[in-house]
Amino acid sequence: MSHLSLGLEADSWEIIEGLKIGQSNVQRPDKHEGFMLKKRKWPLKGWHKRFFVLDNGILKYSKSPIDIQKGKLHGSIDVGLSVMSIKKRARRIDLDTEEHIYHLKVKSQEIFDAWVSKLRHHRLYRQNEIVRSPREATMRTFPPPAPSSLPWQPVAPSNSSNSSLPASYSNGQSKVVAWLQESEEMDKCAEELARCQSNLTELSRLLQSLEILQRTQSAPNFTDMQVPLSASMSPVRLHSSNPNLCAELVDFQPPVSRLTDSVECASDYIKLQEEFCTIAQKVHSLLKSAFNTVAIEKEKIKQILSDQEQSDQSAQINSLRKSLSQALSQNAELRTRLNRIHSESVLTEQVVSVNIISTPDEVDELHVMGIPLTQQASNESRLSMSESVSEFFDAQEVLLSASSSENEGSDDESYVSDVSDNISEDNASVTDNVSRQMANGDFAGSAFRNGRRTCLPAPCPDTSNINLWNILRNNIGKDLSKVSMPVELNEPLNTLQRMCEELEYSELLDKAAETEDPFERMVLVAAFAVSGYSSTYYRAGSKPFNPLLGETYECIREDKGFCFFSEQVSHHPPISACHCESKNFTFWQDVRWKNKFWGKSMEILPIGTVNLMIPRFGDHYEWNKVTTCVHNILSGRRWIEHYGEITIRNTKSSACLCKLTFVKGNYWSSNVNEVQGFVMDQEGKVIHRLFGKWHEGLYCGVPPSAKCIWRPGSMPTDYELYYGFTRFAIELNELCPELKDVLPRTDARFRPDQRHLEEGNLELASSEKQRIEDMQRARRKWNEENNIKLEPRFFKKVVDANHRERWVSNNMYWELRKNPGFINMESTVNLW
C-alpha cells in the first residue's frame, strides 16, 4: 500500500514550499548552473536545450555558457516571486511567474534532484532578501533604464537643417517645417514627456515594492492588528508565490513581541503608498501640460494648413463648379430616366444621389466627401498599433467591417481526411434542405417576435470573497475540467454556446462565398478564424459552464442566415461538437478542452480541428486552434492571452495556404494580443500579409496602404457589470416563449443552475449546480455498473486516414426538429 502511495505521489505535481513565518537568516546559496530542457514558448512544439545559471534567487538562461558570458540572455526568472511545482517521475520543474509559465525538464534523476534542491534554497534566500529589504531587492531586480532608452528625447533645433529640405516642398510645407524648428513649446513638451517617463519608471519601482510587501510575510494582516489605515487603501492580498505563507497567515495571530515590527511594516507600506500617489500626481500634471501644449500647437499648424489650402483650392473649386455645371446640363435626360425608374421600382436613395447632382452648391458636399474618412473612424477606434494605421485607410477599402500554444491537435498539419468527401457531400445536401426550410418558415418558433434582448437580467456577482487558492492548490498541473468550482466563478453560458459565439462574424464567410479570387477568399477565412477570439477580451474573470453529456444547444439566426446546433458528445475526456449550416457555407468542429492550472495562470489547450466548406467553389478549409492562458488567477487583474500558430489549408486545393501567429507577449508590452500572418501560393510566394490584434481588428497589406478586413463591433453599455458579454453573447441564452415548445429539453437554455445565475439568484444556482453534478455522477456510475454506453444523438464518430477520431453531424437534428419534433426524446432524457 505504501509503495502505491509513493508511486501516486511521484506521478503528481507537488508545490514547493516557500518562506515560513519566523524563518530568517537564510544562508546565501552557491551559484548553480547547467543545461536543462525548456519547452518552447510558441508555437509550443517540443523542447530545446538551454543553459541556465541560478544566482541569488534569479534564474537566467541562454543557448550556451558563452552567450551567458556575453550577456546574450533569453530570459530571467525571479524564483522568489514564482510559484514552483515539480513532478518527480517525469522530472519536470514548472515556474509560474504570472506573465509566463516556464516548463523545464531534466533527463537524469541525479541532475533533477540537484536542481530541485538548489532552486528550493535560492527561492528561500530570495524571499528572505525581499522581506528584509524590499526596496533594495526591487532596485537590483528592476534597474532603471539607460537614458538612451527613453522614448522621448528633447531634440535641439538646428538652424542649418533648411538646406537639407527637399526642393519639392510647397510653401505650406515650408511653413510647417519652420514652425517645427522655431516652436519652443514642442521642445518643452518633449522635456516634460522625458521627465514623465522618468517618473513612470519610479512608479514602476514603487509598484514592485508594494507588490513585494504583499507577497511576503512583511505584509501584515492589517485587519487583525487594527492599524488605522487610510480609507483609500485597498485591501492587502497576499500573493500566491508563497502559498504556504498565505495558508498559515489565515489563522495567524501575531505575538505581542512582534507587533511593533508588524506596525513598522505597515508604516512602510503606507509611506510607499503616499510616495506613489505623490509621483502619480506629478505624472498627471506633466501629461496634462503636454496635452495642452500639443493642443495649442495643433491649432497653429491647422491654421497654417488652412491658409494654404484656401489659396490653393479656390482655383480648383471654381474649375470644378464650371465642369459640374456643364455635367448637369448633359445629365438632364439621365436624371429624368432615373427618376422614372425610381418611381416604378425599389431603388435605394443612395444609388440615385450618386448619379444626380442637382445644384452647384453640392460642390461643397463633394469637397467634404474628398476628405479622408479617417477622422470619422478614429472616434471609434482604440489606440494601438493596428488601429493607428487605420487613419490612412479610405472607408471604401474596408472589405468588411462586421456588426458586432501548445496545440496537440496541430502537430500533423499535412493530412487530408478520407472522410472529407463524404462529409462534404452530406453537408451540402443538408445545407440545401435547411436553407429551403428557413426560406419557407418551416422552423416554427425560431423568430424573436419582440426583438432580441439587449441586456442580461442581472449583473455578475462579486467574487472577491472566494479563496481560489484553497480550491486550486491541490490541482497544480491537473485538468481542471474535473474540478468543481463555485457557481460564482461561472458566466451564464456554457461551452456549447461559446462555440456558437465563434460565428458572431459569419458575415465574413458570406463575403468569402462571393469572392472569386482564392487568395482573397483565404484572407476572409483567416479574418473569420481570428474574429472568434475577440469576444474573450473582457471575459477573463469567469468561465463557462461545463456541459453535461448529451446536453445540446440550438441557435437559428435569420438575420445572419445560419442554423447552428451543438452537443456534448463525451464527458471524460470532455468533447464538444457543433455544426452550422447556411446557404453560403457549412461550418463544423469538435474540440476537446484541457484546462491546466500552474500556480498563477491557467492554460486552456484545445485539441481538435475546425472545418469550413464553401460549396460554390468546392472549398473545404481546415485549421487548428491556439492555446489560451488566463493570467493572475489568484491576485491582481486577470487578463487573457492567446498564443500559438494557426495553419489554414484548403484540402481540395493546394493553390494557397495561410499561417497566422498569435504573438506571446505580456500585459504591458506593445505587442500584446498581436496577430501576424500571410497567405502564400503553392510555390511559397507571399501573396498577402496580415497583421492586427485579435481584439481590435485584422488588416491586409503593408501600412499605410493596408486594408481593414475586419474589426469587432462596439461593446454594450455597462458590459463590465455583465460578465464582459458582447451584444451577440447577451442573446445566446435568451429563452422566448415561442422556443420553449420546440427545443429539446436537453437544450442549455433549460439548464436551471445556469438560468438562476443569469437571473442573479446565487443561492439557487449553487444548490442546483450541486444537484445536477450529483445526478451526473450517479447516472454515470449506474451506466458503468450496467454496462450501458450512451451514444450522442446528433453526431457520429468517424476515423480519418491518420486514425484520428472526429465527430460530424448525423443529419438528424433538423429532421427530427421538423417532424415529429423532440417529443419522443422527453421520456428518455432527463439531464436536470
Side-chain angles (χ1 to χ4, degrees), residues 473-490:
R473 63 183 303 172
N474 297 322
N475 295 286
I476 298 288
K478 295 181 180 179
D479 189 349
L480 292 185
S481 63
K482 301 179 181 179
V483 180
S484 180
M485 299 283 190
V487 73
E488 292 93 331
L489 299 179
N490 287 94

Side-chain angles (χ1 to χ4, degrees), residues 1 39 207 233 245 266 273 388 423 462 480 484 599 610 677 822:
M1 189 71 179
K39 202 164 210 176
L207 273 177
M233 179 175 172
L245 187 61
Q273 280 197 321
S388 63
I423 294 172
D462 179 19
L480 292 185
S484 180
V610 184
F822 298 109

Side-chain angles (χ1 to χ4, degrees), residues 454-455 713-720 722 724-728 730:
T454 59
C455 185
S714 61
M715 294 296 290
T717 305
D718 296 330
Y719 63 90
E720 306 98 331
Y722 295 92
F725 278 9
T726 64
R727 301 177 195 277
F728 188 74
I730 288 174

Side-chain angles (χ1 to χ4, degrees), residues 221-265:
N221 190 325
F222 296 122
T223 303
D224 293 342
M225 296 191 318
Q226 297 180 349
V227 177
L229 299 182
S230 169
S232 62
M233 179 175 172
S234 59
V236 175
R237 299 179 63 187
L238 291 174
H239 198 276
S240 60
S241 58
N242 198 343
N244 295 290
L245 187 61
C246 293
E248 291 183 27
L249 278 178
V250 171
D251 300 318
F252 174 68
Q253 299 295 330
V256 176
S257 61
R258 298 183 56 195
L259 186 59
T260 303
D261 294 337
S262 299
V263 172
E264 290 177 358
C265 181

